[in-house]
Tab-separated table of all heavy atoms in Angstrom:
chain	number	residue	atom	x	y	z
A	13	GLU	N	11.396	-89.578	-59.774
A	13	GLU	CA	11.315	-89.503	-58.310
A	13	GLU	C	10.457	-88.324	-57.876
A	13	GLU	O	9.635	-88.441	-56.969
A	13	GLU	CB	12.711	-89.407	-57.686
A	13	GLU	CG	13.451	-90.714	-57.636
A	13	GLU	CD	12.734	-91.789	-56.832
A	13	GLU	OE1	12.218	-91.501	-55.730
A	13	GLU	OE2	12.677	-92.935	-57.310
A	14	GLU	N	10.639	-87.187	-58.526
A	14	GLU	CA	9.844	-86.000	-58.194
A	14	GLU	C	8.359	-86.241	-58.434
A	14	GLU	O	7.513	-85.759	-57.682
A	14	GLU	CB	10.304	-84.797	-59.023
A	14	GLU	CG	11.670	-84.286	-58.653
A	14	GLU	CD	12.200	-83.238	-59.618
A	14	GLU	OE1	11.530	-82.929	-60.632
A	14	GLU	OE2	13.303	-82.721	-59.350
A	15	ARG	N	8.036	-86.995	-59.464
A	15	ARG	CA	6.637	-87.235	-59.817
A	15	ARG	C	5.921	-88.086	-58.772
A	15	ARG	O	4.689	-88.094	-58.727
A	15	ARG	CB	6.515	-87.903	-61.186
A	15	ARG	CG	6.960	-87.053	-62.352
A	15	ARG	CD	6.146	-85.778	-62.478
A	15	ARG	NE	6.410	-85.066	-63.696
A	15	ARG	CZ	7.312	-84.088	-63.828
A	15	ARG	NH1	8.029	-83.709	-62.805
A	15	ARG	NH2	7.480	-83.472	-64.983
A	16	LYS	N	6.661	-88.775	-57.913
A	16	LYS	CA	6.035	-89.560	-56.857
A	16	LYS	C	5.212	-88.662	-55.932
A	16	LYS	O	4.214	-89.111	-55.360
A	16	LYS	CB	7.079	-90.324	-56.049
A	16	LYS	CG	7.676	-91.500	-56.791
A	16	LYS	CD	8.699	-92.204	-55.915
A	16	LYS	CE	9.264	-93.426	-56.613
A	16	LYS	NZ	10.247	-94.125	-55.785
A	17	ALA	N	5.627	-87.407	-55.780
A	17	ALA	CA	4.928	-86.474	-54.909
A	17	ALA	C	3.954	-85.577	-55.660
A	17	ALA	O	3.278	-84.748	-55.041
A	17	ALA	CB	5.954	-85.615	-54.159
A	18	ALA	N	3.859	-85.738	-56.960
A	18	ALA	CA	3.007	-84.865	-57.779
A	18	ALA	C	1.547	-85.300	-57.711
A	18	ALA	O	1.229	-86.456	-57.426
A	18	ALA	CB	3.499	-84.856	-59.223
A	19	ASP	N	0.685	-84.357	-58.005
A	19	ASP	CA	-0.750	-84.620	-58.099
A	19	ASP	C	-1.008	-85.472	-59.343
A	19	ASP	O	-0.594	-85.101	-60.450
A	19	ASP	CB	-1.485	-83.285	-58.205
A	19	ASP	CG	-2.985	-83.424	-58.365
A	19	ASP	OD1	-3.505	-84.562	-58.404
A	19	ASP	OD2	-3.647	-82.371	-58.442
A	20	PRO	N	-1.694	-86.592	-59.193
A	20	PRO	CA	-1.981	-87.453	-60.351
A	20	PRO	C	-2.746	-86.737	-61.469
A	20	PRO	O	-2.668	-87.158	-62.621
A	20	PRO	CB	-2.819	-88.592	-59.765
A	20	PRO	CG	-2.415	-88.644	-58.339
A	20	PRO	CD	-2.133	-87.220	-57.951
A	21	GLU	N	-3.430	-85.677	-61.143
A	21	GLU	CA	-4.149	-84.925	-62.179
A	21	GLU	C	-3.222	-84.015	-62.974
A	21	GLU	O	-3.610	-83.501	-64.012
A	21	GLU	CB	-5.282	-84.115	-61.548
A	21	GLU	CG	-6.369	-84.979	-60.930
A	21	GLU	CD	-6.986	-85.965	-61.911
A	21	GLU	OE1	-7.305	-85.560	-63.053
A	21	GLU	OE2	-7.139	-87.146	-61.550
A	22	SER	N	-1.994	-83.821	-62.461
A	22	SER	CA	-1.067	-82.894	-63.121
A	22	SER	C	0.055	-83.598	-63.869
A	22	SER	O	0.838	-82.947	-64.553
A	22	SER	CB	-0.442	-81.958	-62.084
A	22	SER	OG	0.444	-82.679	-61.231
A	23	SER	N	0.155	-84.934	-63.732
A	23	SER	CA	1.292	-85.650	-64.292
A	23	SER	C	0.893	-87.060	-64.715
A	23	SER	O	0.294	-87.803	-63.926
A	23	SER	CB	2.408	-85.722	-63.242
A	23	SER	OG	3.356	-86.704	-63.562
A	24	TYR	N	1.251	-87.410	-65.937
A	24	TYR	CA	1.005	-88.762	-66.436
A	24	TYR	C	1.693	-89.803	-65.551
A	24	TYR	O	1.104	-90.821	-65.187
A	24	TYR	CB	1.504	-88.873	-67.878
A	24	TYR	CG	1.549	-90.281	-68.410
A	24	TYR	CD1	0.378	-90.940	-68.771
A	24	TYR	CD2	2.752	-90.962	-68.535
A	24	TYR	CE1	0.413	-92.244	-69.247
A	24	TYR	CE2	2.798	-92.264	-69.008
A	24	TYR	CZ	1.618	-92.896	-69.364
A	24	TYR	OH	1.644	-94.183	-69.822
A	25	VAL	N	2.950	-89.532	-65.184
A	25	VAL	CA	3.700	-90.489	-64.364
A	25	VAL	C	3.088	-90.592	-62.970
A	25	VAL	O	2.947	-91.703	-62.434
A	25	VAL	CB	5.198	-90.097	-64.298
A	25	VAL	CG1	5.945	-90.964	-63.307
A	25	VAL	CG2	5.826	-90.234	-65.678
A	26	ALA	N	2.704	-89.463	-62.384
A	26	ALA	CA	2.059	-89.497	-61.065
A	26	ALA	C	0.774	-90.308	-61.130
A	26	ALA	O	0.440	-91.040	-60.199
A	26	ALA	CB	1.793	-88.079	-60.578
A	27	LYS	N	0.066	-90.194	-62.244
A	27	LYS	CA	-1.171	-90.960	-62.419
A	27	LYS	C	-0.866	-92.456	-62.485
A	27	LYS	O	-1.583	-93.276	-61.896
A	27	LYS	CB	-1.890	-90.513	-63.686
A	27	LYS	CG	-3.287	-91.086	-63.825
A	27	LYS	CD	-3.994	-90.553	-65.057
A	27	LYS	CE	-4.364	-89.098	-64.784
A	27	LYS	NZ	-5.240	-88.533	-65.819
A	28	LEU	N	0.216	-92.826	-63.184
A	28	LEU	CA	0.617	-94.236	-63.223
A	28	LEU	C	0.978	-94.742	-61.831
A	28	LEU	O	0.564	-95.831	-61.428
A	28	LEU	CB	1.816	-94.435	-64.149
A	28	LEU	CG	1.557	-94.682	-65.614
A	28	LEU	CD1	2.871	-94.820	-66.367
A	28	LEU	CD2	0.692	-95.898	-65.841
A	29	TYR	N	1.743	-93.947	-61.090
A	29	TYR	CA	2.095	-94.340	-59.723
A	29	TYR	C	0.835	-94.538	-58.881
A	29	TYR	O	0.735	-95.495	-58.111
A	29	TYR	CB	2.969	-93.284	-59.054
A	29	TYR	CG	4.397	-93.187	-59.548
A	29	TYR	CD1	5.040	-91.960	-59.578
A	29	TYR	CD2	5.122	-94.291	-59.958
A	29	TYR	CE1	6.346	-91.831	-59.995
A	29	TYR	CE2	6.433	-94.180	-60.387
A	29	TYR	CZ	7.032	-92.941	-60.400
A	29	TYR	OH	8.338	-92.822	-60.818
A	30	ALA	N	-0.113	-93.628	-59.014
A	30	ALA	CA	-1.343	-93.700	-58.222
A	30	ALA	C	-2.153	-94.954	-58.565
A	30	ALA	O	-2.803	-95.543	-57.689
A	30	ALA	CB	-2.184	-92.446	-58.438
A	31	LYS	N	-2.102	-95.372	-59.817
A	31	LYS	CA	-2.832	-96.565	-60.241
A	31	LYS	C	-2.172	-97.847	-59.731
A	31	LYS	O	-2.809	-98.890	-59.666
A	31	LYS	CB	-2.961	-96.610	-61.755
A	31	LYS	CG	-3.934	-95.570	-62.294
A	31	LYS	CD	-4.030	-95.671	-63.807
A	31	LYS	CE	-5.010	-94.674	-64.372
A	31	LYS	NZ	-5.087	-94.763	-65.842
A	32	GLY	N	-0.864	-97.772	-59.459
A	32	GLY	CA	-0.178	-98.915	-58.877
A	32	GLY	C	0.590	-99.791	-59.849
A	32	GLY	O	0.628	-99.537	-61.054
A	33	LEU	N	1.179	-100.810	-59.276
A	33	LEU	CA	2.078	-101.704	-60.007
A	33	LEU	C	1.412	-102.351	-61.214
A	33	LEU	O	2.001	-102.404	-62.298
A	33	LEU	CB	2.631	-102.780	-59.068
A	33	LEU	CG	3.583	-103.793	-59.685
A	33	LEU	CD1	4.823	-103.109	-60.251
A	33	LEU	CD2	3.971	-104.844	-58.659
A	34	ASP	N	0.197	-102.848	-61.056
A	34	ASP	CA	-0.451	-103.529	-62.185
A	34	ASP	C	-0.609	-102.623	-63.393
A	34	ASP	O	-0.428	-103.070	-64.535
A	34	ASP	CB	-1.811	-104.106	-61.767
A	34	ASP	CG	-1.666	-105.344	-60.888
A	34	ASP	OD1	-0.565	-105.913	-60.816
A	34	ASP	OD2	-2.671	-105.745	-60.277
A	35	ALA	N	-0.933	-101.353	-63.170
A	35	ALA	CA	-1.081	-100.407	-64.289
A	35	ALA	C	0.259	-100.167	-64.976
A	35	ALA	O	0.321	-100.079	-66.210
A	35	ALA	CB	-1.674	-99.088	-63.792
A	36	ILE	N	1.307	-100.078	-64.192
A	36	ILE	CA	2.651	-99.881	-64.760
A	36	ILE	C	3.059	-101.106	-65.575
A	36	ILE	O	3.555	-100.984	-66.692
A	36	ILE	CB	3.671	-99.557	-63.656
A	36	ILE	CG1	3.322	-98.221	-62.989
A	36	ILE	CG2	5.093	-99.545	-64.210
A	36	ILE	CD1	4.077	-97.951	-61.698
A	37	LEU	N	2.830	-102.273	-65.023
A	37	LEU	CA	3.180	-103.507	-65.728
A	37	LEU	C	2.368	-103.669	-67.010
A	37	LEU	O	2.903	-104.092	-68.038
A	37	LEU	CB	2.963	-104.715	-64.822
A	37	LEU	CG	3.861	-104.784	-63.591
A	37	LEU	CD1	3.459	-105.952	-62.712
A	37	LEU	CD2	5.332	-104.845	-63.972
A	38	LYS	N	1.094	-103.315	-66.966
A	38	LYS	CA	0.268	-103.372	-68.165
A	38	LYS	C	0.826	-102.459	-69.242
A	38	LYS	O	0.907	-102.838	-70.415
A	38	LYS	CB	-1.170	-102.971	-67.826
A	38	LYS	CG	-2.102	-103.016	-69.002
A	38	LYS	CD	-3.514	-102.625	-68.613
A	38	LYS	CE	-4.392	-102.621	-69.851
A	38	LYS	NZ	-5.720	-102.080	-69.581
A	39	LYS	N	1.247	-101.257	-68.847
A	39	LYS	CA	1.793	-100.300	-69.807
A	39	LYS	C	3.090	-100.843	-70.413
A	39	LYS	O	3.320	-100.718	-71.622
A	39	LYS	CB	2.020	-98.943	-69.124
A	39	LYS	CG	2.285	-97.845	-70.084
A	39	LYS	CD	1.084	-97.610	-70.986
A	39	LYS	CE	1.404	-96.565	-72.022
A	39	LYS	NZ	0.423	-96.502	-73.085
A	40	ILE	N	3.934	-101.465	-69.600
A	40	ILE	CA	5.170	-102.055	-70.119
A	40	ILE	C	4.846	-103.162	-71.126
A	40	ILE	O	5.473	-103.262	-72.176
A	40	ILE	CB	6.061	-102.584	-68.975
A	40	ILE	CG1	6.628	-101.404	-68.183
A	40	ILE	CG2	7.194	-103.469	-69.519
A	40	ILE	CD1	7.353	-101.799	-66.924
A	41	GLY	N	3.852	-103.978	-70.811
A	41	GLY	CA	3.439	-105.027	-71.744
A	41	GLY	C	2.960	-104.454	-73.065
A	41	GLY	O	3.308	-104.963	-74.130
A	42	GLU	N	2.167	-103.386	-72.993
A	42	GLU	CA	1.686	-102.733	-74.212
A	42	GLU	C	2.853	-102.192	-75.036
A	42	GLU	O	2.893	-102.366	-76.256
A	42	GLU	CB	0.751	-101.580	-73.862
A	42	GLU	CG	-0.585	-102.005	-73.297
A	42	GLU	CD	-1.395	-100.830	-72.744
A	42	GLU	OE1	-0.999	-99.654	-72.936
A	42	GLU	OE2	-2.436	-101.088	-72.119
A	43	GLU	N	3.782	-101.545	-74.345
A	43	GLU	CA	4.927	-100.953	-75.052
A	43	GLU	C	5.829	-102.037	-75.641
A	43	GLU	O	6.382	-101.859	-76.729
A	43	GLU	CB	5.711	-100.023	-74.140
A	43	GLU	CG	4.923	-98.813	-73.626
A	43	GLU	CD	4.342	-97.935	-74.727
A	43	GLU	OE1	4.789	-97.994	-75.894
A	43	GLU	OE2	3.424	-97.159	-74.411
A	44	ALA	N	5.980	-103.145	-74.950
A	44	ALA	CA	6.787	-104.249	-75.483
A	44	ALA	C	6.148	-104.800	-76.756
A	44	ALA	O	6.842	-105.056	-77.744
A	44	ALA	CB	6.942	-105.350	-74.435
A	45	THR	N	4.831	-104.949	-76.733
A	45	THR	CA	4.119	-105.432	-77.912
A	45	THR	C	4.266	-104.451	-79.079
A	45	THR	O	4.511	-104.863	-80.224
A	45	THR	CB	2.634	-105.658	-77.584
A	45	THR	OG1	2.544	-106.649	-76.551
A	45	THR	CG2	1.847	-106.112	-78.801
A	46	GLU	N	4.132	-103.158	-78.784
A	46	GLU	CA	4.292	-102.153	-79.843
A	46	GLU	C	5.716	-102.131	-80.392
A	46	GLU	O	5.913	-101.904	-81.591
A	46	GLU	CB	3.882	-100.775	-79.305
A	46	GLU	CG	2.385	-100.678	-79.073
A	46	GLU	CD	1.955	-99.418	-78.352
A	46	GLU	OE1	2.800	-98.520	-78.131
A	46	GLU	OE2	0.759	-99.319	-78.005
A	47	THR	N	6.687	-102.425	-79.541
A	47	THR	CA	8.077	-102.507	-79.997
A	47	THR	C	8.249	-103.678	-80.947
A	47	THR	O	8.884	-103.543	-82.004
A	47	THR	CB	9.029	-102.630	-78.792
A	47	THR	OG1	8.888	-101.476	-77.967
A	47	THR	CG2	10.470	-102.777	-79.236
A	48	VAL	N	7.685	-104.812	-80.605
A	48	VAL	CA	7.752	-105.985	-81.472
A	48	VAL	C	7.096	-105.690	-82.821
A	48	VAL	O	7.649	-105.998	-83.887
A	48	VAL	CB	7.089	-107.206	-80.793
A	48	VAL	CG1	6.911	-108.365	-81.775
A	48	VAL	CG2	7.899	-107.646	-79.580
A	49	MET	N	5.927	-105.054	-82.796
A	49	MET	CA	5.228	-104.736	-84.036
A	49	MET	C	6.027	-103.752	-84.886
A	49	MET	O	6.102	-103.902	-86.112
A	49	MET	CB	3.831	-104.192	-83.718
A	49	MET	CG	2.920	-105.257	-83.150
A	49	MET	SD	1.344	-104.721	-82.424
A	49	MET	CE	0.864	-103.339	-83.384
A	50	ALA	N	6.649	-102.772	-84.257
A	50	ALA	CA	7.477	-101.812	-84.990
A	50	ALA	C	8.663	-102.515	-85.637
A	50	ALA	O	9.020	-102.228	-86.783
A	50	ALA	CB	7.942	-100.689	-84.066
A	51	ALA	N	9.262	-103.436	-84.904
A	51	ALA	CA	10.399	-104.179	-85.463
A	51	ALA	C	9.966	-105.017	-86.660
A	51	ALA	O	10.686	-105.102	-87.656
A	51	ALA	CB	11.034	-105.055	-84.380
A	52	LYS	N	8.793	-105.618	-86.558
A	52	LYS	CA	8.273	-106.401	-87.682
A	52	LYS	C	8.019	-105.515	-88.893
A	52	LYS	O	8.224	-105.947	-90.029
A	52	LYS	CB	6.984	-107.125	-87.290
A	52	LYS	CG	7.171	-108.219	-86.264
A	52	LYS	CD	7.905	-109.404	-86.800
A	52	LYS	CE	6.931	-110.360	-87.415
A	52	LYS	NZ	7.575	-111.541	-87.961
A	53	ASP	N	7.583	-104.267	-88.662
A	53	ASP	CA	7.355	-103.323	-89.759
A	53	ASP	C	8.676	-102.906	-90.406
A	53	ASP	O	8.708	-102.552	-91.571
A	53	ASP	CB	6.618	-102.074	-89.278
A	53	ASP	CG	5.169	-102.345	-88.926
A	53	ASP	OD1	4.637	-103.403	-89.319
A	53	ASP	OD2	4.558	-101.486	-88.257
A	54	GLY	N	9.747	-102.918	-89.601
A	54	GLY	CA	11.073	-102.613	-90.128
A	54	GLY	C	11.348	-101.144	-90.412
A	54	GLY	O	12.280	-100.827	-91.143
A	55	VAL	N	10.554	-100.256	-89.823
A	55	VAL	CA	10.768	-98.826	-90.036
A	55	VAL	C	11.609	-98.296	-88.860
A	55	VAL	O	11.121	-98.263	-87.726
A	55	VAL	CB	9.413	-98.066	-90.120
A	55	VAL	CG1	9.658	-96.575	-90.302
A	55	VAL	CG2	8.564	-98.637	-91.241
A	56	PRO	N	12.857	-97.925	-89.129
A	56	PRO	CA	13.758	-97.540	-88.037
A	56	PRO	C	13.189	-96.483	-87.086
A	56	PRO	O	13.335	-96.604	-85.865
A	56	PRO	CB	14.999	-97.018	-88.767
A	56	PRO	CG	14.987	-97.742	-90.072
A	56	PRO	CD	13.538	-97.874	-90.429
A	57	GLU	N	12.522	-95.469	-87.620
A	57	GLU	CA	11.991	-94.404	-86.767
A	57	GLU	C	10.926	-94.933	-85.812
A	57	GLU	O	10.852	-94.514	-84.656
A	57	GLU	CB	11.402	-93.267	-87.617
A	57	GLU	CG	12.420	-92.529	-88.449
A	57	GLU	CD	12.778	-93.228	-89.767
A	57	GLU	OE1	12.113	-94.228	-90.158
A	57	GLU	OE2	13.740	-92.777	-90.412
A	58	LYS	N	10.101	-95.854	-86.287
A	58	LYS	CA	9.070	-96.450	-85.434
A	58	LYS	C	9.697	-97.319	-84.348
A	58	LYS	O	9.235	-97.329	-83.210
A	58	LYS	CB	8.088	-97.274	-86.276
A	58	LYS	CG	7.150	-96.431	-87.129
A	58	LYS	CD	6.314	-97.268	-88.076
A	58	LYS	CE	5.238	-98.049	-87.361
A	58	LYS	NZ	4.355	-98.770	-88.328
A	59	ILE	N	10.738	-98.044	-84.715
A	59	ILE	CA	11.421	-98.888	-83.732
A	59	ILE	C	11.999	-98.025	-82.624
A	59	ILE	O	11.799	-98.305	-81.429
A	59	ILE	CB	12.522	-99.733	-84.406
A	59	ILE	CG1	11.905	-100.706	-85.403
A	59	ILE	CG2	13.357	-100.474	-83.355
A	59	ILE	CD1	12.919	-101.368	-86.340
A	60	VAL	N	12.692	-96.960	-82.988
A	60	VAL	CA	13.298	-96.074	-81.989
A	60	VAL	C	12.224	-95.460	-81.095
A	60	VAL	O	12.361	-95.419	-79.865
A	60	VAL	CB	14.144	-94.971	-82.673
A	60	VAL	CG1	14.540	-93.883	-81.689
A	60	VAL	CG2	15.374	-95.587	-83.331
A	61	TYR	N	11.131	-95.003	-81.685
A	61	TYR	CA	10.044	-94.377	-80.934
A	61	TYR	C	9.469	-95.366	-79.908
A	61	TYR	O	9.273	-95.029	-78.735
A	61	TYR	CB	8.952	-93.914	-81.903
A	61	TYR	CG	7.802	-93.221	-81.240
A	61	TYR	CD1	7.840	-91.849	-80.999
A	61	TYR	CD2	6.681	-93.929	-80.825
A	61	TYR	CE1	6.791	-91.209	-80.372
A	61	TYR	CE2	5.626	-93.298	-80.200
A	61	TYR	CZ	5.680	-91.943	-79.975
A	61	TYR	OH	4.636	-91.313	-79.346
A	62	GLU	N	9.199	-96.580	-80.338
A	62	GLU	CA	8.591	-97.576	-79.449
A	62	GLU	C	9.563	-98.058	-78.371
A	62	GLU	O	9.168	-98.281	-77.240
A	62	GLU	CB	8.013	-98.741	-80.250
A	62	GLU	CG	6.860	-98.367	-81.153
A	62	GLU	CD	5.673	-97.730	-80.445
A	62	GLU	OE1	5.526	-97.862	-79.207
A	62	GLU	OE2	4.867	-97.083	-81.138
A	63	VAL	N	10.833	-98.208	-78.738
A	63	VAL	CA	11.821	-98.597	-77.730
A	63	VAL	C	11.957	-97.489	-76.687
A	63	VAL	O	12.074	-97.767	-75.489
A	63	VAL	CB	13.180	-98.958	-78.366
A	63	VAL	CG1	14.264	-99.094	-77.314
A	63	VAL	CG2	13.066	-100.259	-79.162
Side-chain angles (χ1 to χ4, degrees):
E13 283 300 316
E14 291 171 357
R15 294 299 189 267
K16 287 180 177 180
D19 178 0
E21 295 304 314
S22 70
S23 163
Y24 169 75
V25 172
K27 189 177 288 189
L28 272 179
Y29 288 147
K31 289 181 179 179
L33 180 61
D34 286 346
I36 296 168
L37 295 175
K38 181 180 177 188
K39 193 63 185 168
I40 290 172
E42 290 171 8
E43 298 303 342
T45 299
E46 290 172 7
T47 299
V48 169
M49 291 169 34
K52 292 290 272 180
D53 289 344
V55 178
E57 295 82 9
K58 287 173 72 175
I59 296 167
V60 168
Y61 182 87
E62 295 302 341
V63 169

